[in-house]
Amino acid sequence: MSGAFSDGRRFRILCIVDDFSREALATVADISLSGERMTRELAAIIRRRGKPYMIVSDNGTEMTSQAVLKWCQDNDINWHYIAPEKPTQNAFVESFNGRLRDECLNESLFGNLAEARHIIENWRIYYNTQRPHTSLGGLAPAVYARQNRNHRPASLELLGGSAQRALTTIQIRETNVNGLLTSIWPGSGGWVMLELYLMRMNRFGTN
């Protein structure tokens, strides 16, 4: 699978997905992505959305870095690591990655980082606001979030995990520049989980 710049240089993509609505909250493309950079991206999302009950990721070097561990401690963040070589425990973001690869990365030729960021971000917006999602009854994630803002589950549990705390009922509405309601977030730590994945892209595909 092609996913590199046209000259063969590598780049990486950090994908962040909301478990409830399946919304892609970020697709951060860069030449390198450190643990510290990840915490900055997550902090920016939390400032907009509120703090999640849990963040789920694999055990990659960046995810287990001192910068991430310190950030979790300083900000009282619950971070759950899936079992090694068990990507199904990060199923929603893995599904998103497949769509991103098939529908965007495989279909695009990136001349430079700015171009890659522009194309990937445009696809992320399309994915959230227009692309039908089978598991959401044929709705796009943003539409599903809008229609189900009063019906979020009392809890979402990791398979074999411990995410069992009930959600708050306080709601926060967020709209984009066109006035479309893109997501509904319970306040004060109410939304359940984020899933993270760091995708490594080279001239031959993902590593």
Side-chain angles (χ1 to χ4, degrees):
M1 181 186 71
S2 177
F5 301 123
S6 55
D7 62 5
R9 289 179 299 133
R10 301 179 179 185
F11 68 95
R12 311 174 88 181
I13 307 171
L14 172 65
C15 300
I16 304 175
V17 173
D18 171 34
D19 272 16
F20 173 71
S21 67
R22 312 296 201 272
E23 288 174 286
L25 304 184
T27 47
V28 183
D30 214 328
I31 301 302
S32 64
L33 287 164
S34 65
E36 185 175 356
R37 172 69 181 283
M38 289 182 191
T39 63
R40 292 201 303 270
E41 298 294 340
L42 287 167
I45 292 173
I46 288 172
R47 284 194 297 271
R48 299 193 306 270
R49 306 270 191 165
K51 189 167 70 173
Y53 172 62
M54 181 178 291
I55 296 174
V56 182
S57 78
D58 61 25
N59 296 272
T61 302
E62 298 84 2
M63 309 292 189
T64 57
S65 67
Q66 287 297 317
V68 168
L69 297 177
K70 184 178 186 303
W71 180 76
C72 289
Q73 182 177 18
D74 291 346
N75 294 277
D76 192 27
I77 300 291
N78 293 319
W79 194 298
H80 176 88
Y81 293 104
I82 66 173
E85 300 182 4
K86 295 289 185 180
T88 55
Q89 295 181 4
N90 224 8
F92 295 143
V93 76
E94 289 288 345
S95 176
F96 172 78
N97 293 341
R99 306 298 183 272
L100 175 61
R101 287 191 293 266
D102 292 344
E103 299 176 16
C104 180
L105 302 178
N106 283 356
E107 300 296 324
S108 305
L109 186 64
F110 307 116
N112 52 54
L113 184 59
E115 186 175 305
R117 286 172 171 170
H118 178 73
I119 292 172
I120 292 169
E121 177 62 10
N122 282 345
W123 182 87
R124 185 187 73 85
I125 294 170
Y126 159 76
Y127 175 91
N128 283 340
T129 61
Q130 299 182 49
R131 186 190 183 282
H133 199 299
T134 302
S135 67
L136 301 179
L139 301 176
V143 177
Y144 179 82
R146 181 182 65 221
Q147 293 188 3
N148 291 274
R149 61 183 177 272
N150 294 321
H151 303 285
R152 293 177 69 97
S155 67
L156 288 179
E157 298 179 13
L158 287 172
L159 183 61
S162 59
Q164 300 177 354
R165 192 173 69 179
L167 296 172
T168 179
T169 58
I170 300 172
Q171 303 283 337
I172 299 173
R173 298 168 66 90
E174 178 171 310
T175 60
N176 66 12
V177 293
N178 297 316
L180 174 66
L181 184 63
T182 57
S183 57
I184 318 297
W185 299 90
S188 185
W191 48 286
V192 185
M193 292 189 293
L194 291 183
E195 293 189 6
L196 277 70
Y197 182 85
L198 183 58
M199 185 183 296
R200 298 160 178 83
M201 305 301 301
N202 60 31
R203 73 180 68 188
F204 304 109
T206 55
N207 283 339

